[in-house]
Amino acid sequence: MKKLFPLTLLSIAILSGCNSTPSQVYSSTESAQALAPLVVSPNDKRQYKTLTLANGIDVILVSDPSAEKSAAALSVGVGLLHDPMSQQGLAHYLEHMLFLGTEKYPDTKGYSEFMTKNGGDQNAYTWLDITNYMFKVNNDAYGEALDRFSDFFKAPKLYPEYSEKEKHAVNAEWSMRREMDFFGQYKLARNMMGDHPANRFLIGNLETLGDKETSKLHTEMVNFYDQYYSSNIMKVAMISNKSIAEMEKLADQYFSDIKNKNIDRPKVEQKLDLSKVAGKKIFYKPKEDVKQIKLDFTIDNNMDQFAAKPNYFVTYLIANEMAGSPAQVLKQQGWVSQLSAGTELDLYGNYGSLTVNIELTDEGMKHREEIVATVMNYINLVKDKGIDSKYFHEIKTALQNQFRFLEKGDEFNYVSNLTDSMQKYPLQHVIDAGFHYAGFDAEAVRNVLNSLNDKSVRIWYVSKQEETDSKLHFYDGEYRIEPISPDEVKSWHEKSQFALQLPSVNKLLPESFDIKESLANTGQTPAIVFDKPGLTIWHLGSQSFAHQPKGSLDISINTPLATQNEKNAILFAVWADLYNLQQSKLITEASVAGVPFSLSASNGLSLNISGFTDKQTVLLEEALKALITIKVDEQSFAQALERRRQAIFNQGQQFPIYQAFGKLSELVVNSSFDDKSVLEALNSVTLKDFELLQKSTLEQHQTRVFSFGNYDQADIDQMAKLLDKTLAPKRVTEFQKAKYWKPESEQVLVWNEDLAVADVAIVDMFMNPTPGYKAKAAAAVLQGHIGTAVFEKLRTEEQLAYAVGASARAINEYSGLAFYIQTPVKNVADMQKRFDEYKHEYAQELATLDSETFSKLKNAVLVSLKEPAKNLSDEVSPFIRDWYKENYNYDSKSKLIAAVEQITIDDVKRYYQETVMNDKAARLNIQLRGKKFASEPFAQLEGQKRIESVDAMKEQVKFQL
């Protein structure tokens, strides 16, 4: 329900669409003062207003007549860095508690139940200096939603009895993360900061949150709320289909009576002694099988220089992939597979981090100091010759293009991003902060570059091979720290062994944004516009965003070879991996230009290009040429196989609940293979095998293309020419698509697996015996109700887990309901027993479902299904899904809507009985046993058949045709 970590500057940079010359509304009332207009994208025709309420809350109002749902967010300018040291994690813990009832709405379940009935979503997160709350709801419920939401900040109950319970939820959230390498490394980085406020435990757990001799948890929580939850450090964003005038009244009605305590926003201003923090080499042994170097430079938080973007300028140059860059020369040596750079400016409050992240090969592990020296040599080159306005103009052009045609996104994320940005940037630039590049500031760039030195850097060596002498508290991490030697620092200033050079000009930046003439004989559904044996092209023009000079190409090079055996599956994955590695220069150049593309393995190969269409055919020609001329030697092939091994191992280090759903997805499709058998095949696959597969694929396949958006007949003709010339097969193969498990009566299929991580995860899925849209519609209506009910019971009341719920899942033509959980407190058998008990408890609750609640649940589903597309991706998604399934009527979504419209309360109750309460209904049960419970039993289900492997599943079940 809630997340701890925040949206980053990157998230802000992809905010849903807004406008540079908007329709602004200005007014002034006694209760609210209008402020300067926002800078928003020309592509957004929504109406905006900024104002300050009488109690000091800055508000952004967004009126969107096309919105089917309304949303709001409120951020408070206080966070994890302001916890009392006696109750570390308190800000995050308080965030949880605010959801559990208010004076006006005291029921602890009331808020979540209201949201479920009215098609809502709700969430919150706590970060270093911000706590952000947000919701989205059907338009007709917006007023009551605002009333309930705003009462969090006026009169929360903060029940003492739930105070004790909720710390277990916080503990479970910490338990989910304690084995994740990122959190361990971040904790160690902060440990090195001495008495700086960043050096504290952020999330909280049972050890840090609780009554102590001089500190009582509930008292401290109430005091924290009373001290910091003041309107003058709060920001609000609202979006709705209502007019600006109506929204202003709502803002005043619900938020203007939040108490203003006239406090100063808490700030962290303590200085770091970099001589104690940096100049260190950290040897870190991770849980995952990775081989990494991180150059972690501690820099001042210069977020106030967002308009000059010195950090963006520097990382843009460091991470470029052109000839002579560190990425290019080190990949050419076979030492690295990836190099990136980025900044988190508030990572430690008043300090941030500029980080160069490098993924190593086994060969690269032998040359770590040389790799570091190469990056430092390059930074010196940038200092000497790279502070050049030509790069400013290139970056500015790319950012302007993105902002000019920025697309709308989900209202929920939009308001959340707005209230996050309102705490960071001047109000006028809240929306365009990530894109606004006011001018070239050489001095600002030089200041950042000058801070990248041996006095500010921590060099992280991260691998399973590291020798360590210390362990972290709170997280599973082992490490050793030593000073960076003077000899190594000296090598950074010597002439590089490589011919390093600054990047050349990006040739893929679009020059034309013309809207092209629609293709003849195409309408509101995709049509075939080119067809010959081996190559078929479909096209669909945008109905809602025809003014956007953008489009997408999904190119499927389909072959039955892909799913024949594990070896071929490996080889196609290797093909995609090596292609993306070798074409990283082109991929990076295209991405900067707003035309991202990539190759992936999917029933063969899938090449995806999207974004501005101006130079897509130029890009396509280069991409296709590279595909058929890819050259692979023994070293790069072996390195790709090693990356595949690492990926399989690292899947086993992920959250157990992710692993459980991943295993479910593997089991129900006929194109999956066991990790064990894939690992065995990795030991025998050869470069010769790869070369033979390449040859066979290019000679025997079928290519299908789905083009969507701003293309004209000349574009289609050019695509067809390029594809036909490059990929024309000698033999056209039958199109291959995935086949899915066909549930059968009395099937009880169970997967048992031991994990390398601590917690237990279960996914228990019950399948309805009747295929079709009526069953899918019943499941869609039911899932909100059952999901909320199981969460409130097993999480809020019983505190069994942080991640727990129920969801509807479709397996092709069939539908089902799945209970899921990741728990740190129960073993598999006990947790499964509790699920089995709960399904009966819920049956009784469902029996009391009344017509009014049902109507709201049904309406919530229909509103979501009928929501207009917010962007090009939203618009094309249902068509692409049907296209891949060869449903050329493109009617899956309309059929589901029609079925939901016809569904009744009796249908929904009957669906649950026929699915979950039906002993003969098929059932797929995934049980993952964490190492904390390794000595405890798996659950035994009546009539169960244990699935020993993915291959065994294929042999034992039938698949839908």
Side-chain angles (χ1 to χ4, degrees):
M1 177 173 165
K2 308 173 188 70
K3 61 187 178 185
L4 173 67
F5 286 90
L7 306 172
T8 63
L9 185 59
L10 178 60
S11 303
I12 295 163
I14 55 172
L15 271 176
S16 22
C18 332
N19 99 117
S20 190
T21 49
S23 302
Q24 293 287 348
V25 176
Y26 305 96
S27 70
S28 181
T29 69
E30 291 182 1
S31 60
Q33 178 184 355
L35 301 175
L38 296 165
V39 179
V40 288
S41 167
N43 195 46
D44 182 3
K45 306 309 175 187
R46 294 176 291 189
Q47 200 172 45
Y48 288 79
K49 183 173 183 178
T50 57
L51 54 92
T52 300
L53 300 178
N55 60 352
I57 299 181
D58 288 340
V59 180
I60 293 178
L61 305 175
V62 188
S63 176
D64 182 359
S66 69
E68 293 290 335
K69 297 204 175 188
S70 299
L74 183 150
S75 65
V76 190
V78 66
L80 302 167
L81 293 185
H82 310 112
D83 292 338
M85 293 304 288
S86 58
Q87 300 288 348
Q88 295 176 61
L90 186 67
H92 174 224
Y93 169 71
L94 172 60
E95 169 226 303
H96 279 239
M97 289 294 295
L98 288 195
F99 284 82
L100 300 177
T102 67
E103 289 293 338
K104 190 171 183 179
Y105 300 100
D107 186 350
T108 59
K109 303 189 295 291
Y111 186 70
S112 59
E113 289 180 345
F114 171 82
M115 287 295 172
T116 298
K117 291 176 184 177
N118 292 283
D121 291 313
Q122 72 274 358
N123 210 328
Y125 64 82
T126 309
W127 189 227
L128 301 182
D129 58 359
I130 182 176
T131 309
N132 204 1
Y133 303 81
M134 67 291 301
F135 75 84
K136 177 176 73 172
V137 74
N138 291 346
N139 287 334
D140 60 2
Y142 195 37
E144 184 175 345
L146 287 169
D147 194 25
R148 289 175 175 273
F149 178 69
S150 62
D151 214 37
F152 287 10
F153 313 104
K154 303 171 191 175
K157 292 297 288 186
L158 302 179
Y159 292 107
E161 59 270 34
Y162 280 92
S163 173
E164 183 64 25
K165 284 185 175 183
E166 199 60 25
K167 72 180 184 181
H168 288 274
V170 172
N171 187 75
E173 188 174 350
W174 160 74
S175 179
M176 285 184 68
R177 292 168 167 80
R178 72 184 185 275
E179 297 173 296
M180 309 305 292
D181 290 325
F182 164 80
F183 295 100
Q185 290 171 33
Y186 185 36
K187 182 66 173 72
L188 176 56
R190 301 195 314 278
N191 284 356
M192 297 172 68
M193 293 189 164
D195 60 357
H196 188 273
N199 183 14
R200 64 183 64 207
F201 181 47
L202 300 178
I203 188 170
N205 64 8
L206 293 179
E207 179 181 335
T208 64
L209 293 168
D211 288 345
K212 305 173 180 70
E213 186 174 341
T214 60
S215 173
K216 302 302 180 185
L217 176 60
H218 186 264
T219 301
E220 295 265 29
M221 174 183 63
V222 172
N223 290 343
F224 190 92
Y225 179 88
D226 288 342
Q227 179 179 356
Y228 291 119
Y229 273 56
S230 174
S231 61
N232 69 305
I233 64 167
M234 292 179 177
K235 311 292 181 183
V236 167
M238 298 167 58
I239 184 169
S240 178
N241 65 336
K242 298 180 183 297
S243 69
I244 288 291
E246 291 174 297
M247 292 179 69
E248 185 170 355
K249 290 179 181 177
L250 290 174
D252 188 64
Q253 178 181 353
Y254 293 114
F255 296 107
S256 64
D257 56 346
I258 295 173
K259 187 175 181 180
N260 185 354
K261 300 163 189 174
N262 290 303
I263 66 171
D264 293 328
R265 183 178 176 186
K267 294 182 179 179
V268 172
E269 297 178 326
Q270 185 169 330
K271 296 296 183 182
L272 279 172
D273 183 350
L274 287 180
S275 67
K276 296 179 180 178
V277 176
K280 305 289 194 296
K281 189 173 286 186
I282 304 166
F283 302 84
Y284 190 92
K285 183 180 291 186
K287 304 289 289 185
E288 290 190 330
D289 185 6
V290 295
K291 300 176 179 69
Q292 298 170 335
I293 295 174
K294 289 196 301 181
L295 277 69
D296 174 12
F297 298 94
T298 300
I299 62 174
D300 289 336
N301 181 343
N302 62 353
M303 201 174 289
D304 60 337
Q305 296 182 348
F306 71 93
K309 295 193 169 23
N311 314 296
Y312 194 123
F313 186 100
V314 171
T315 56
Y316 182 83
L317 293 182
I318 292 173
N320 90 85
E321 299 265 356
M322 293 190 177
S325 68
Q328 186 269 324
V329 299
L330 295 172
K331 286 179 179 179
Q332 191 173 52
Q333 293 296 313
W335 293 356
V336 313
S337 60
Q338 186 176 339
L339 186 151
S340 62
T343 55
E344 285 288 346
L345 295 179
D346 59 353
L347 195 60
Y348 310 112
N350 57 332
Y351 290 91
S353 175
L354 189 153
T355 308
V356 182
N357 297 290
I358 306 168
E359 301 290 334
L360 304 177
T361 64
D362 285 342
E363 186 64 23
M365 287 287 288
K366 304 172 186 175
H367 300 274
R368 295 197 290 194
E369 289 196 5
E370 293 165 81
I371 292 168
V372 171
T374 300
V375 175
M376 296 303 292
N377 291 155
Y378 192 78
I379 290 173
N380 291 333
L381 175 63
V382 175
K383 290 177 181 178
D384 291 342
K385 299 179 180 179
I387 308 176
D388 190 322
S389 62
K390 69 180 181 182
Y391 299 119
F392 156 74
H393 290 297
E394 184 169 292
I395 296 168
K396 182 180 176 69
T397 299
L399 292 175
Q400 282 181 329
N401 291 344
Q402 292 176 49
F403 191 64
R404 177 182 172 187
F405 296 102
L406 206 58
E407 297 181 74
K408 284 199 291 187
D410 178 77
E411 295 89 356
F412 184 83
N413 292 325
Y414 190 39
V415 292
S416 172
N417 279 293
L418 286 176
T419 50
D420 185 276
S421 292
M422 290 167 79
Q423 297 284 357
K424 297 175 179 176
Y425 303 109
L427 193 59
Q428 184 180 8
H429 290 292
V430 161
I431 293 168
D432 78 328
F435 306 93
H436 178 55
Y437 207 171
F440 179 51
D441 189 337
E443 188 61 27
V445 173
R446 187 172 290 108
N447 287 339
V448 171
L449 284 166
N450 287 339
S451 68
L452 308 185
N453 55 54
D454 61 295
K455 302 294 191 297
S456 68
V457 72
R458 291 180 287 191
I459 300 172
W460 295 71
Y461 286 174
V462 183
S463 77
K464 288 285 192 182
Q465 289 73 49
E466 304 310 322
E467 294 182 6
T468 64
D469 56 19
S470 302
K471 291 186 177 182
L472 283 169
H473 186 50
F474 293 128
Y475 293 99
D476 292 354
E478 300 178 29
Y479 65 95
R480 173 171 57 92
I481 301 174
E482 65 180 37
I484 302 171
S485 72
D487 286 344
E488 183 169 0
V489 173
K490 182 181 177 183
S491 72
W492 302 349
H493 300 283
E494 295 171 351
K495 182 177 174 59
S496 175
Q497 61 180 301
F498 303 113
L500 298 175
Q501 62 186 57
L502 295 166
S504 55
V505 174
N506 189 321
K507 64 182 183 297
L508 290 175
L509 285 168
E511 298 174 29
S512 169
F513 302 100
D514 292 342
I515 302 304
K516 301 177 181 181
E517 185 177 348
S518 300
L519 274 70
N521 303 317
T522 59
Q524 296 187 3
T525 57
I528 293 176
V529 293
F530 183 89
D531 194 16
K532 65 171 289 187
L535 175 61
T536 308
I537 302 176
W538 284 257
H539 179 73
L540 175 66
S542 175
Q543 305 300 306
S544 302
F545 307 102
H547 60 282
Q548 286 271 36
K550 297 179 179 180
S552 60
L553 298 174
D554 287 74
I555 302 170
S556 174
I557 306 167
N558 184 277
T559 171
L561 293 171
T563 55
Q564 274 186 358
N565 51 50
E566 293 89 341
K567 185 177 287 189
N568 284 2
I570 291 167
L571 292 172
F572 277 106
V574 165
W575 194 342
D577 176 28
L578 290 172
Y579 177 89
N580 291 324
L581 182 65
Q582 292 184 13
Q583 297 308 309
S584 55
K585 172 183 175 294
L586 184 62
I587 290 170
T588 301
E589 190 176 5
S591 178
V592 169
V595 199
F597 86 98
S598 64
L599 185 73
S600 59
S602 177
N603 290 323
L605 295 170
S606 180
L607 181 65
N608 303 100
I609 302 175
S610 60
F612 296 115
T613 54
D614 179 38
K615 295 184 179 179
Q616 278 195 22
T617 52
V618 174
L619 176 60
L620 178 62
E621 183 172 15
E622 287 195 49
L624 290 173
K625 180 181 178 181
L627 181 65
I628 64 170
T629 59
I630 185 171
K631 300 297 182 185
V632 181
D633 58 25
E634 289 286 357
Q635 183 189 53
S636 59
F637 183 71
Q639 290 172 349
L641 295 182
E642 178 58 23
R643 286 192 291 274
R644 189 78 190 104
R645 285 190 191 93
Q646 290 176 324
I648 292 172
F649 176 86
N650 292 339
Q651 287 171 8
Q653 305 301 313
Q654 300 305 307
F655 290 143
I657 195 64
Y658 292 172
Q659 295 187 54
F661 276 111
K663 184 57 64 178
L664 185 146
S665 297
E666 287 179 17
L667 289 170
V668 299
V669 66
N670 72 333
S671 55
S672 297
F673 297 99
D674 267 308
D675 288 344
K676 183 178 179 180
S677 60
V678 171
L679 287 170
E680 291 173 355
L682 278 167
N683 294 325
S684 60
V685 69
T686 66
L687 179 57
K688 185 66 174 177
D689 294 329
F690 178 71
E691 292 167 347
L692 290 172
L693 180 100
Q694 276 186 287
K695 184 174 185 296
S696 297
T697 299
L698 294 173
E699 290 180 350
Q700 304 175 47
H701 66 267
Q702 178 182 163
T703 300
R704 293 183 176 183
V705 181
F706 192 104
S707 69
F708 169 71
N710 187 45
Y711 303 102
D712 58 18
Q713 190 61 54
D715 291 326
I716 299 298
D717 292 344
Q718 180 69 1
M719 289 177 210
K721 181 179 178 181
L722 289 171
L723 288 161
D724 192 39
K725 175 184 176 182
T726 310
L727 296 176
K730 292 182 179 178
R731 183 172 74 84
V732 179
T733 57
E734 183 178 350
F735 187 79
Q736 302 293 307
K737 61 181 180 180
K739 293 183 179 179
Y740 293 90
W741 169 47
K742 181 179 181 180
E744 294 187 290
S745 179
E746 300 186 34
Q747 274 184 328
V748 181
L749 307 174
V750 176
W751 178 273
N752 296 153
E753 184 177 346
D754 282 310
L755 299 181
V757 292
D759 292 354
V760 159
I762 296 175
V763 176
D764 195 7
M765 186 168 67
F766 300 83
M767 300 302 300
N768 189 273
T770 306
Y773 284 96
K774 183 176 181 178
K776 290 181 180 180
V781 174
L782 184 58
Q783 77 166 343
H785 190 264
I786 190 173
T788 299
V790 68
F791 181 89
E792 293 298 337
K793 185 65 175 177
L794 301 187
R795 190 279 202 188
T796 304
E797 293 293 332
E798 299 182 14
Q799 294 295 334
L800 297 182
Y802 176 72
V804 58
S807 66
R809 291 183 69 89
I811 299 180
N812 202 23
E813 298 302 319
Y814 289 82
S815 69
L817 288 172
F819 295 98
Y820 63 86
I821 194 167
Q822 176 179 328
T823 176
V825 298
K826 279 189 178 290
N827 64 40
V828 175
D830 288 345
M831 189 61 244
Q832 183 62 55
K833 180 182 177 184
R834 184 66 191 99
F835 267 163
D836 291 339
E837 293 168 350
Y838 181 75
K839 73 177 187 181
H840 292 281
E841 296 169 19
Y842 178 74
Q844 295 177 352
E845 183 175 344
L846 181 61
T848 66
L849 180 68
D850 58 69
S851 297
E852 181 183 359
T853 301
F854 167 76
S855 295
K856 288 184 175 181
L857 293 168
K858 175 178 172 178
N859 181 62
V861 174
L862 286 171
V863 169
S864 295
L865 287 172
K866 293 180 178 181
E867 270 193 282
K870 296 178 176 64
N871 48 54
L872 288 160
S873 178
D874 281 356
E875 184 180 5
V876 74
S877 290
F879 295 103
I880 283 283
R881 287 194 294 268
D882 277 342
W883 180 70
Y884 273 111
K885 294 194 301 185
E886 296 188 294
N887 174 19
Y888 299 132
N889 293 319
Y890 303 100
D891 57 0
S892 294
K893 185 175 179 179
S894 62
K895 283 184 174 180
L896 181 58
I897 290 172
V900 173
E901 288 174 334
Q902 296 299 314
I903 211 75
T904 67
I905 188 171
D906 290 336
D907 292 330
V908 168
K909 292 179 178 180
R910 188 180 308 113
Y911 179 87
Y912 186 78
Q913 291 295 321
E914 292 175 348
T915 308
V916 179
M917 303 304 291
N918 179 4
D919 290 339
K920 293 187 177 181
R923 184 177 181 183
L924 180 54
N925 180 273
I926 312 296
Q927 302 177 18
L928 304 186
R929 182 170 60 185
K931 61 184 181 183
K932 180 179 176 181
F933 301 96
S935 62
E936 303 292 332
F938 285 107
Q940 298 293 314
L941 306 184
E942 185 175 349
Q944 77 171 42
K945 187 170 190 178
R946 187 171 176 226
I947 302 299
E948 300 292 339
S949 67
V950 175
D951 290 340
M953 178 79 171
K954 294 179 192 177
E955 295 170 0
Q956 295 173 20
V957 304
K958 295 180 180 178
F959 288 88
Q960 300 172 55
L961 300 177

